[in-house]
Amino acid sequence: MTPQPQSTSAQTSDLLPGFDHTAFDSNAVFRALLDAMSRPGRIYDLPVAVSAPDGLNKAATATLLAMADMDTTIWLSPSCVTKAAGDHLKFHCGCPISTDVKQADFAIARISDDLSFVTDLAIGNAEYPDQSATLILMVDEISDQPSMTLKGPGIKDTHSLAVKGLPESFHAWRAENHHLFPCGVDVIFASETQIAALSRTTRIEVN
Amino acid sequence: MEQTVKNPADGAPDYNFAYLDEQTKRMIRRALLKAVAIPGYQVPFAGREMPMPYGWGTGGVQVTAAVIGPNDTLKVIDQGADDTTNAVSIRQFFAKTAQVATTEKTAEASIIQTRHRIPEKELREDQVLVYQVPIPEPLRFLVPRETETRKMHALEEYGLMHVKLYEDISRHGHIATTYAYPVMVDDRYVMDPSPTPKFDNPKMNNMAALQLFGAGREKRIYALPPYTKVKSLDFEDHPFEVQTWEDKCGMCGARDSYLDEVILDDQGNRMFVCSDTDYCAERQEAGHRGPQHHDQPLGSADRGKAAE
Amino acid sequence: MYVAVKGGERAINNAHKLLAEQRRGDTDIAEIETDQIEQQLSLSVTRVMAEGSLYDRDLAALAIKQARGDLIEAIFLMRAYRTTLPRFAFSKPIKTAEMDVSRRISATFKDLPGGQILGPTFDYTHRLLDFTLMANGEAPTEAPSGAQPVDENMPRVLDDILNYEGLIQDEPVPVDENAPVADLTREPVKFPAGRDLRLQNLSRGDEGFVLALGYSTQRGYANSHAFVGEIRYGTVSVEIEPEELGFAIDIGDIELTECETVNKFKGSKTKLPQFTRGYGLVFGQNERKAISMALVDRAMRANEMGEQIMGPAQDSEFVMEHSDNVQSTGFVEHIKLPHYVDFQGELELVRRMRAEVEERLAKSDAENGTSQPEAAE
């Protein structure tokens, strides 16, 4: 009865393990993501221990293990593309990995990458705004320092968030993205051990 | 490794934790993340057949199955009551397939699945309210076609809804909708609050808890993140108002809760009781008494008042 | 004295016991075995498999037994079980042209290559109750074999025979037979829906619903007069091609009924008059369903053909949203669940509205000094 992971050419012996307990760990990571997306800017600790392949960090890996499968297309920024990351995702998630960013359901990049690809991410359309990509941005540090002030659904009054190394261009894109509502891209910040999210509804004031 | 739970029926194969397979849960979870990112928008999802009939809470059950973890405590209510048969049946389903703790106390629950009511007790940030939704489309009875209603939502074209409500006013002097009263979410999407009485609509506004809505037969999921603006549609000259009762709860004396009418005989005698059974029980435990409480002779003064 | 109703759990458990008792019936009568159902109620079994979207004869027989013969309930049991099954592979397209045919008839040609093969059919039975079956006097009979074997490659009437003249709309087989096909059990349906999705919906749709809609197209609620070009019933093999193997393997046979209808089409400014097609395919031997499905499929192609929509069978959204009996029965029956919270709201509203009207009438009566309506009678 147990579904077999997608077979690939990868050597099983080289592979890092996925979740210890598929059902429980997926649920715990999803709950953190659901909380994070429902309460933009709040920081949540990664609730499980996972191994990250070269090219990805732990929170990004856990997010993909919990959310990606044969029905989702992954795009990895050039700095994340490693054989280990590709093998890991193909084996544990069975997800197709595309080099066309427009196809991505989940796009994964590092904050230090050239982020110009974000304007090519799917934003959905007016009738189906859910047909949009989610950007998983791997970062070094997330904190509640007041470098950004967030407002919008999920936020009681305002909320503070700081993401180390967030470039100016990101904010310009986010402002444009917010303007496209209900279309748009949602963002998950993933540090090694924490996650926080920005929903497309979130209004950001850069302090 | 998959966690499985022995099916209660002997000889049948094992089912995954919380019944659904992991792939189905992921599909629902992805829809849920989109739903909270686009408050009030109905996300299509490939709803599965569940072992209970469509129309009996399969949407809520699928959402709960995707959200629930081994450490959750589940409360299930139907019409506000924990002991209605369908609520019992759904609670048993999760007690068996996910082996989670269940409760009838609103305050003890981390997930509350509901049909037709929002608990009277204010919900907290660490709680999730899951609604069972029969018809998610607020425009359905104006325009039955999905192709058209979807376009109307896309264009934010809600004139027809206002016309319908205004027709009520011109005919009856007020809006003649008592439940499933449409709301505007974050000034963008008109949303069906599920067939909760309009009495409950104000509770949705800026609620601290996350609200998730599942429509299984219609295969739609939608959500209200915490602290989201939810406004019942109305007009300046006819502001939205909720139901009020001249009576109070016969058991606990509450005047602030939604009351069900109970027929006592065939002579037209009736009484009112809280639809939220936990709220009523808690008040009775705290010493509140209504006029028909069993240690209160019928027709005597309201001893509850002393306790209030 | 009012006592809040308690004991829902006990009531449910007892109701289940009573149900089990009723299912079993009189214990002096031998219990029906699922293999008897599988063998002797085989058309129930195939209907449950078709509308349950799960080809497993034993499970369908079990579902029928458990559902006390209520086929929609049995279909529901199959669907609920199907939900829990992980998907291992997608099959390659089945080839009905290579069907091992038990029955094959055409209404459009008196004789044709491959011949008319009557096979097992109720068609020409006289519908007289056979009391020998009741008296347990069933006589074992053996049907004689035909003089010559059935053609292995039975030509298809529409593709191989009629299309030879170019008289019928061409339906080219996709070049890439692994091209994705829509699946409504895995993707939410979006409208307008493609033909693949429409056919899937009809194939697992309620037999009675599809029958009624098909019938409606013959009575003027669509204009697509149809002939049965061909019906074939038999078994085909199902193949999957696991990625690690790189070649196809046969995983078993399934029984299917396929129907292709030929429909009149007057042509348009750009197209010559020609015949068009409707298609039906269903598990098991079920010609009623296969023909109905083909009629409704053709009706739903109205947009594609530039035809005026004049009946519900041509309205894909209407048909697809209401064809599923598990959905329909759930929602229709759910109104027996408690609705007293909503009803309370309505009760209060109706009382208030009546009071308002009475107040208005009383006021206008007082102002006009009119007599009571009763006095006039």
Side-chain angles (χ1 to χ4, degrees):
Chain A
M1 295 296 294
T2 308
Q4 298 300 307
Q6 294 290 297
S7 62
T8 68
S9 55
Q11 291 297 309
T12 315
S13 55
D14 296 346
L15 275 168
L16 295 167
F19 283 141
D20 286 347
H21 301 280
T22 312
F24 296 161
D25 291 358
S26 301
N27 179 262
V29 173
F30 164 69
R31 285 291 279 275
L33 291 166
L34 181 66
D35 278 336
M37 196 58 83
S38 309
R39 297 173 173 82
R42 277 207 212 176
I43 300 163
Y44 292 86
D45 289 335
L46 186 63
V48 297
V50 291
S51 331
D54 188 25
L56 299 175
N57 71 17
K58 284 182 181 167
T61 305
T63 298
L64 291 172
L65 288 178
M67 304 305 295
D69 58 28
M70 63 201 274
D71 294 328
T72 54
T73 299
I74 308 295
W75 178 87
L76 298 170
S77 80
S79 76
C80 307
V81 177
T82 62
K83 184 173 182 308
D87 288 351
H88 195 76
L89 295 177
K90 276 186 193 156
F91 184 81
H92 292 294
C93 305
C95 54
I97 298 176
S98 175
T99 51
D100 179 3
V101 70
K102 293 189 176 78
Q103 303 296 321
D105 294 301
F106 292 98
I108 297 91
R110 271 170 217 293
I111 200 159
S112 51
D113 288 342
D114 171 7
L115 296 182
S116 59
F117 70 86
V118 293
T119 53
D120 285 332
L121 290 169
I123 58 165
N125 59 61
E127 291 184 14
Y128 294 99
D130 56 304
Q131 291 175 0
S132 56
T134 301
L135 173 62
I136 300 171
L137 210 48
M138 293 190 283
V139 301
D140 293 333
E141 196 184 323
I142 319 169
S143 75
D144 58 1
Q145 295 296 306
S147 73
M148 290 183 268
T149 303
L150 312 181
K151 282 184 188 170
I155 300 165
K156 193 172 183 185
D157 298 307
T158 60
H159 202 84
S160 298
L161 180 69
V163 177
K164 198 173 153 191
L166 207 55
E168 188 56 42
S169 60
F170 178 86
H171 293 296
W173 168 70
R174 272 294 310 184
E176 175 62 22
N177 186 63
H178 177 73
H179 189 66
L180 297 170
F181 189 82
C183 296
V185 172
D186 308 309
V187 182
I188 296 167
F189 295 114
S191 76
E192 202 64 45
T193 57
Q194 292 184 312
I195 51 175
L198 293 176
S199 143
R200 65 190 76 183
T201 56
T202 314
R203 297 185 292 281
I204 305 172
E205 253 173 58
V206 183
N207 299 318
Chain B
M1 189 178 101
E2 303 255 319
Q3 279 65 45
T4 56
V5 176
K6 193 77 186 161
N7 177 33
D10 286 334
D14 294 340
Y15 290 108
N16 192 30
F17 175 78
Y19 186 77
L20 295 174
D21 62 284
E22 289 303 309
Q23 204 174 325
T24 299
K25 286 189 209 167
R26 273 193 299 271
M27 177 271 296
I28 296 170
R29 288 167 179 166
R30 289 193 293 262
L32 284 168
L33 289 190
K34 297 292 187 198
V36 293
I38 318 168
Y41 164 75
Q42 302 163 48
V43 182
F45 82 112
R48 302 290 200 247
E49 268 92 6
M50 297 301 285
M52 56 277 285
Y54 281 120
W56 300 53
T58 56
V61 168
Q62 287 181 77
V63 169
T64 298
V67 170
I68 205 163
N71 301 322
D72 277 305
T73 302
L74 179 70
K75 172 182 165 83
V76 183
I77 50 173
D78 187 337
Q79 315 294 300
D82 299 89
D83 209 44
T84 38
T85 42
N86 202 43
V88 171
S89 162
I90 292 172
R91 193 165 55 240
Q92 281 182 341
F93 175 74
F94 283 110
K96 273 179 197 153
T97 60
Q99 296 172 346
V100 291
T102 62
T103 182
E104 297 192 1
K105 297 227 170 292
T106 302
E108 286 174 5
S110 58
I111 299 174
I112 301 170
Q113 180 169 326
T114 180
R115 177 168 173 264
H116 295 194
R117 278 309 313 277
I118 298 175
E120 307 290 2
K121 189 187 262 297
E122 201 171 312
L123 299 182
R124 300 182 311 260
E125 283 198 353
D126 60 347
Q127 295 178 304
V128 180
L129 184 59
V130 178
Y131 297 75
Q132 300 172 201
V133 182
I135 305 269
E137 179 50 73
L139 308 168
R140 175 70 77 240
F141 296 104
L142 305 173
V143 184
R145 260 167 226 289
E146 158 84 6
T147 28
E148 287 171 34
T149 54
R150 193 156 279 274
K151 210 166 284 161
M152 289 162 76
H153 285 295
L155 299 171
E156 224 174 324
E157 182 48 68
Y158 296 127
L160 210 54
M161 179 62 97
H162 284 96
V163 169
K164 190 252 164 196
L165 294 175
Y166 212 85
E167 272 174 3
D168 275 4
I169 293 173
S170 53
R171 190 172 310 152
H172 310 297
H174 46 78
I175 293 169
T177 299
T178 58
Y179 61 91
Y181 189 106
V183 295
M184 172 67 84
V185 177
D186 196 35
D187 299 322
R188 176 57 183 81
Y189 280 103
V190 168
M191 185 191 96
D192 183 306
S194 87
T196 48
K198 65 178 181 176
F199 179 88
D200 286 337
N201 277 20
K203 297 177 193 165
M204 302 181 117
N205 183 41
N206 277 317
M207 187 189 279
L210 172 62
Q211 301 172 75
L212 304 175
F213 300 77
R217 190 178 39 79
E218 299 278 341
K219 300 182 171 50
R220 297 288 181 273
I221 281 172
Y222 53 102
L224 295 171
Y227 309 116
T228 297
K229 182 177 165 192
V230 178
K231 189 178 183 309
S232 303
L233 297 184
D234 63 356
F235 300 92
E236 261 177 35
D237 48 346
H238 285 91
F240 172 80
E241 52 186 32
V242 299
Q243 291 102 328
T244 53
W245 282 261
E246 285 170 16
D247 295 87
K248 59 186 140 191
C249 172
M251 305 305 286
C252 78
R255 287 183 178 280
D256 59 351
S257 74
Y258 192 85
L259 300 178
D260 285 334
E261 188 170 329
V262 179
I263 309 289
L264 295 173
D265 55 27
D266 56 2
Q267 305 298 309
N269 283 313
R270 54 180 194 245
M271 64 177 283
F272 290 86
V273 287
C274 292
S275 109
D276 184 334
T277 47
D278 176 55
Y279 183 73
C280 195
E282 217 170 75
R283 280 179 53 85
Q284 290 177 50
E285 272 165 35
H288 298 279
R289 290 291 179 266
Q292 279 99 356
H293 195 278
H294 51 79
D295 51 293
Q296 176 87 12
L298 268 175
S300 74
D302 179 13
R303 269 197 282 142
K305 266 191 183 138
E308 274 169 46
Chain C
M1 184 172 61
Y2 168 75
V3 180
V5 183
K6 282 271 172 194
E9 197 159 338
R10 207 176 66 222
I12 288 175
N13 290 339
N14 289 341
H16 290 171
K17 282 179 195 147
L18 197 56
L19 181 70
E21 199 178 297
Q22 298 250 313
R23 181 190 62 69
R24 179 59 183 87
D26 185 346
T27 49
D28 289 341
I29 310 287
E31 185 180 348
I32 193 167
E33 304 285 342
T34 53
D35 55 359
Q36 292 172 328
I37 296 172
E38 193 266 313
Q39 285 295 311
Q40 298 175 37
L41 299 179
S42 55
L43 298 183
S44 295
V45 167
T46 50
R47 180 177 171 193
V48 168
M49 296 195 301
E51 293 170 38
S53 282
L54 181 61
Y55 199 96
D56 188 315
R57 301 185 66 94
D58 295 334
L59 288 180
L62 169 61
I64 292 166
K65 176 174 174 173
Q66 189 178 330
R68 304 166 63 191
D70 178 341
L71 296 190
I72 292 184
E73 183 65 26
I75 289 160
F76 182 13
L77 287 167
M78 287 289 268
R79 293 268 192 95
Y81 182 72
R82 181 189 192 280
T83 297
T84 65
L85 301 176
R87 176 161 304 227
F88 291 117
F90 297 86
S91 77
K92 296 179 74 70
I94 51 165
K95 297 194 171 72
T96 52
E98 293 165 16
M99 181 184 279
D100 183 2
V101 166
S102 303
R103 170 165 159 80
R104 184 265 200 148
I105 53 164
S106 168
T108 49
F109 297 100
K110 187 174 183 191
D111 200 5
L112 67 166
Q116 305 264 19
I117 299 166
L118 202 52
T121 174
F122 287 119
D123 286 355
Y124 306 102
T125 60
H126 294 147
R127 270 56 169 211
L128 302 171
L129 282 173
D130 179 357
F131 290 101
T132 55
L133 293 179
M134 191 185 231
N136 214 7
E138 199 175 349
T141 55
E142 199 175 321
S145 306
Q148 67 233 55
V150 172
D151 282 8
E152 262 183 38
N153 273 322
M154 186 74 73
R156 292 156 68 93
V157 174
L158 268 62
D159 290 317
D160 302 336
I161 301 172
L162 202 50
N163 206 28
Y164 182 69
E165 289 182 70
L167 290 179
I168 192 154
Q169 172 195 16
D170 202 17
E171 301 250 23
V173 176
V175 183
D176 176 11
E177 68 166 23
N178 293 318
V181 178
D183 180 355
L184 59 81
T185 69
R186 296 174 50 79
E187 289 283 333
V189 173
K190 294 194 181 93
F191 296 105
R195 195 172 174 217
D196 48 355
L197 214 51
R198 301 199 306 252
L199 288 170
Q200 183 190 16
N201 177 284
L202 289 176
S203 189
R204 56 185 241 141
D206 182 74
E207 184 176 317
F209 179 82
V210 180
L211 171 66
L213 280 177
Y215 178 45
S216 75
T217 69
Q218 297 179 298
R219 294 192 64 263
Y221 289 89
N223 190 6
S224 53
H225 184 78
F227 304 95
V228 168
E230 178 173 358
I231 285 178
R232 55 174 66 194
Y233 151 66
T235 55
V236 297
S237 61
V238 179
E239 292 180 335
I240 59 166
E241 191 177 307
E243 247 176 69
E244 61 266 34
L245 285 184
F247 56 86
I249 52 169
D250 190 332
I251 58 166
D253 290 345
I254 59 172
E255 231 184 15
L256 289 171
T257 305
E258 183 186 51
C259 173
E260 286 204 89
T261 54
V262 185
N263 303 65
K264 272 196 298 199
F265 179 60
K266 289 190 202 114
S268 63
K269 277 179 188 161
T270 53
K271 277 184 184 165
L272 285 173
Q274 65 171 176
F275 295 107
T276 56
R277 309 176 181 218
Y279 185 76
L281 184 73
V282 61
F283 286 162
Q285 184 179 13
N286 193 342
E287 293 165 29
R288 179 187 305 130
K289 174 80 177 278
I291 296 171
S292 304
M293 176 174 163
L295 292 177
V296 180
D297 167 50
R298 175 59 188 83
M300 289 205 287
R301 303 180 78 179
N303 277 334
E304 180 190 332
M305 308 285 176
E307 293 166 338
Q308 193 195 342
I309 306 273
M310 53 210 290
Q314 293 168 301
D315 181 341
S316 309
E317 190 172 336
F318 175 82
V319 173
M320 293 177 70
E321 292 280 31
H322 301 107
S323 64
D324 190 301
N325 52 24
V326 179
Q327 285 177 12
S328 315
T329 201
F331 201 55
V332 165
E333 292 194 52
H334 106 283
I335 59 173
K336 67 192 171 191
L337 284 179
H339 281 78
Y340 38 75
V341 163
D342 297 344
F343 187 68
Q344 186 62 48
E346 297 292 89
L347 214 52
E348 188 255 357
L349 179 70
V350 172
R351 279 189 188 126
R352 182 147 63 103
M353 281 164 49
R354 285 170 64 96
E356 282 164 5
V357 172
E358 277 165 6
E359 196 180 314
R360 248 196 332 268
L361 285 178
K363 203 172 153 196
S364 74
D365 283 353
E367 279 167 7
N368 302 332
T370 46
S371 54
Q372 295 299 308
E374 284 84 357
E377 280 170 34

